[in-house]
């Protein structure tokens, strides 16, 4: 097994320094790697593209920003997918900006050669909206905790399958190296961005292996993890009892969540440095 943690899909918003607005517009209009999609006096939208994949999205709308009292410039990118030319553009633009805020960041844990199709992913504390997809054998393929536009959404999905279906040729070749490649991803928006180094403590994540427990207990745990409609019909005290069992029972010799916490602690200085740079600090 190999673990990796990274920042993914970052969105920053900002004001453009008045004395740098013309320089930024000139960069957008004249850089050979930048494709201008919309260009007007007080707005523009542009991208860089690697084949069919957008690498940088640049969006400026002065009037919309004034109407909503919001920062008018937005830039979206995946730092793991930036080419040299994209990084050069990014490094040029950041000094042109002021009052920068990171409005979205994804914290991604990649688990290589671990089959997570029989893993539990549940949120601690209050229940949240849950969606999942399973194959015809009942094995997990994708699971979401939280709504897509909420401040915090957690995803577990088969990254190998996703890359083979949607990735570039390079991505597909990389994915083919592994028998299993899963990703646990925390999408944080607005105020939740500040929780990036604590958010992993909000979930239960481990293999679904309760064979040594009484069959009645196993049935309750299946209801909790597979059928929330049935689960909600149980008495509150019953739900509390079995949620505690689910959270505390050791289902494997490997504590995957603790390994991810240890990795995050080790990599935190590097990730903090990235966030500080993209946040203009």
């Amino acid at each position: 097994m190999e673990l990796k943690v990274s920042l993914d899909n970052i969105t920053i918003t900002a004001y453009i320094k008045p004395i740098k607005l013309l320089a930024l517009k000139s960069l957008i209009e004249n850089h050979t790697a930048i494709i201008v999609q919309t260009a007007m006096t007080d707005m523009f939208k542009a991208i860089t593209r690697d084949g069919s994949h957008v690498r940088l999205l640049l969006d400026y709308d002065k009037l919309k920003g004034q109407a909503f009292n919001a920062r008018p410039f937005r830039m979206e990118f995946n730092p793991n997918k930036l080419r040299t030319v994209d990084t050069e553009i990014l490094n040029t633009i950041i000094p042109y900006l002021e009052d920068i805020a990171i409005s979205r960041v994804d914290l991604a844990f990649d688990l290589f050669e671990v089959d997570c199709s029989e893993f539990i992913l549940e949120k601690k504390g209050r229940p949240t909206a849950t969606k999942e997809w399973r194959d015809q054998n009942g094995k997990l393929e994708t699971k979401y905790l939280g709504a897509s536009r909420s401040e915090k959404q957690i995803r577990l999905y088969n990254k190998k399958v996703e890359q083979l279906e949607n990735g570039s040729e390079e991505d597909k070749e990389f994915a083919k190296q592994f028998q299993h490649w899963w990703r646990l991803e925390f999408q944080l928006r607005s105020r939740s961005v500040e929780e990036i180094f604590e958010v992993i403590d909000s979930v239960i994540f481990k293999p679904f292996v309760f064979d040594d427990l009484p069959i009645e207990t196993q049935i309750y745990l299946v209801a909790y993890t597979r059928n929330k409609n049935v689960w909600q019909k149980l008495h509150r005290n019953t739900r509390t009892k079995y949620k505690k069992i689910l959270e505390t029972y050791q289902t494997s010799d490997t504590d995957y969540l603790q390994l991810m916490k240890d990795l995050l602690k080790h990599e935190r200085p590097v990730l903090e440095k990235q966030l500080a740079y993209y946040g203009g600090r």
Side-chain angles (χ1 to χ4, degrees):
M1 182 189 70
E2 180 184 351
L3 282 174
K4 179 184 176 184
V5 63
S6 63
L7 302 179
D8 202 62
N9 293 324
I10 291 176
T11 301
I12 66 174
T13 58
Y15 289 93
I16 302 170
K17 295 176 182 177
I19 61 173
K20 294 295 186 180
L21 181 57
L22 290 179
L24 180 53
K25 286 184 175 181
S26 178
L27 175 71
I28 300 296
E29 293 170 0
N30 298 310
H31 200 292
T32 55
I34 297 177
I35 303 167
V36 179
Q37 297 179 315
T38 305
M40 299 175 65
T41 303
D42 290 324
M43 67 175 293
F44 60 76
K45 187 171 184 177
I47 61 172
T48 67
R49 190 188 296 276
D50 180 11
S52 61
H53 299 275
V54 173
R55 296 307 184 202
L56 270 178
L57 186 150
L58 312 169
D59 193 348
Y60 174 68
D61 192 328
K62 180 180 178 180
L63 297 180
K64 184 178 179 181
Q66 290 175 339
F68 290 93
N69 193 27
R71 298 175 182 86
F73 180 74
R74 177 169 59 95
M75 186 157 50
E76 296 181 10
F77 55 94
N78 181 340
N80 304 309
K81 298 293 185 180
L82 295 178
R83 303 162 297 171
T84 300
V85 65
D86 303 313
T87 301
E88 291 172 350
I89 293 170
L90 187 67
N91 291 342
T92 300
I93 290 176
I94 285 180
Y96 291 175
L97 308 177
E98 59 186 4
D99 192 18
I100 302 173
I102 298 176
S103 60
R104 171 185 168 177
V105 62
D106 293 1
L107 180 68
F109 291 91
D110 290 299
L111 297 93
F112 298 97
E113 305 305 8
V114 179
D115 184 2
C116 296
S117 63
E118 295 290 352
F119 270 51
I120 301 160
L121 175 63
E122 295 291 340
K123 186 176 179 295
K124 295 178 183 177
R126 298 178 62 184
T128 188
T130 302
K131 290 184 179 180
E132 64 178 41
W133 287 263
R134 294 181 178 270
D135 66 17
Q136 59 184 2
N137 298 315
K139 289 190 174 183
L140 183 69
E141 294 181 334
T142 305
K143 184 165 186 174
Y144 292 87
L145 302 180
S148 59
R149 301 301 298 179
S150 62
E151 285 195 359
K152 187 185 303 178
Q153 186 186 53
I154 302 162
R155 298 185 288 267
L156 174 66
Y157 61 97
N158 191 325
K159 184 66 174 178
K160 177 179 177 177
V161 170
E162 187 268 339
Q163 290 289 276
L164 291 178
E165 292 179 351
N166 304 314
S168 65
E169 289 305 313
E170 183 180 354
D171 295 331
K172 292 176 182 178
E173 287 303 312
F174 180 77
K176 288 175 183 177
Q177 300 177 68
F178 309 105
Q179 183 177 359
H180 302 291
W181 176 14
W182 284 74
R183 173 169 286 188
L184 178 60
E185 195 168 71
F186 299 83
Q187 177 184 291
L188 307 174
R189 298 176 185 273
S190 305
R191 295 169 297 179
S192 291
V193 171
E194 299 175 4
E195 303 173 27
I196 188 167
F197 296 111
E198 290 77 38
V199 68
I200 194 170
D201 291 317
S202 68
V203 299
I204 303 165
F205 180 69
K206 55 188 173 184
F208 190 98
V209 182
F210 297 97
D211 297 344
D212 293 335
L213 294 179
I215 188 64
E216 181 180 349
T217 300
Q218 294 183 47
I219 291 171
Y220 277 115
L221 295 178
V222 168
Y224 180 27
T225 57
R226 301 286 182 92
N227 194 327
K228 291 294 192 290
N229 290 331
V230 171
W231 177 254
Q232 292 303 322
K233 295 176 182 178
L234 298 174
H235 190 275
R236 181 180 60 186
N237 293 343
T238 302
R239 296 200 305 268
T240 299
K241 173 184 175 180
Y242 289 102
K243 283 179 69 174
K244 185 175 181 180
I245 292 174
L246 187 77
E247 183 174 341
T248 59
Y249 186 79
Q250 184 176 342
T251 66
S252 168
D253 292 336
T254 302
D255 189 333
Y256 294 92
L257 199 59
Q258 187 59 53
L259 288 176
M260 287 188 283
K261 290 178 184 178
D262 292 342
L263 176 62
L264 182 60
K265 182 179 179 180
H266 181 267
E267 295 296 324
R268 180 168 178 164
V270 175
L271 301 177
E272 285 181 332
K273 186 175 180 180
Q274 279 187 277
L275 288 170
Y277 177 72
Y278 295 133
R281 297 187 294 274

